[in-house]
Amino acid sequence: MEDYVDTYLNQLKEKAAKEPVMAVLAGEIVTQEGQEVVYISGAVRVEEVKTENGKLEFDIEASDRAEELRKEHFPTCQTIGLFLEVNLENKDVLFLLFFSLVFSNIFSSLD
């Protein structure tokens, strides 16, 4: 992960005490020596993420806007995952979801 991405995600984490924070992760996932390696080159915040009745909510338009910003600011990168920081019962919970790793594991278990 690039240093400036780490700094940006840490800034977002500070805001998660008040509201959930989600960001689209930009970069690439490559295979080196038989292992998938994740390179994170950027992150774009998904606006308007909230919790209501214990459920995480965001609209598809907010996700689409984040994807457009990702294309504008990181045109050589792909969307490779999501960063999500949520405060649950006064505990910060961090989720990182990398798309190709999840989907490749799901499909390989079906064989």
Side-chain angles (χ1 to χ4, degrees):
M1 180 180 312
E2 297 285 348
D3 287 343
Y4 62 88
V5 178
D6 187 47
T7 300
Y8 178 63
L9 294 179
N10 281 324
Q11 291 171 353
L12 291 181
K13 284 171 58 175
E14 291 174 10
K15 296 177 182 184
K18 297 178 186 145
E19 61 187 29
V21 177
M22 181 183 293
V24 171
L25 300 174
E28 63 180 330
I29 299 175
V30 298
T31 302
Q32 293 180 345
E33 298 178 8
Q35 296 286 324
E36 287 192 313
V37 179
V38 178
Y39 293 101
I40 303 172
S41 302
V44 177
R45 183 174 182 183
V46 177
E47 299 290 339
E48 302 165 23
V49 178
K50 60 186 175 192
T51 54
E52 191 160 319
N53 299 325
K55 295 181 180 178
L56 185 69
E57 295 185 356
F58 64 97
D59 62 24
I60 196 68
E61 289 84 13
S63 178
D64 289 345
R65 282 191 299 276
E67 181 62 12
E68 289 302 316
L69 287 171
R70 195 273 312 152
K71 289 178 182 176
E72 179 183 330
H73 295 287
F74 305 100
T76 61
C77 297
Q78 301 171 4
T79 296
I80 59 167
L82 291 175
F83 164 92
L84 174 62
E85 178 88 16
V86 183
N87 186 299
L88 299 173
E89 299 177 7
N90 294 320
K91 296 179 184 172
D92 285 335
V93 180
L94 171 65
F95 298 94
L96 289 175
L97 172 65
F98 297 106
F99 298 138
S100 96
L101 297 176
V102 171
F103 294 127
S104 66
N105 289 337
I106 288 171
F107 293 120
S108 65
S109 68
L110 296 176
D111 292 336

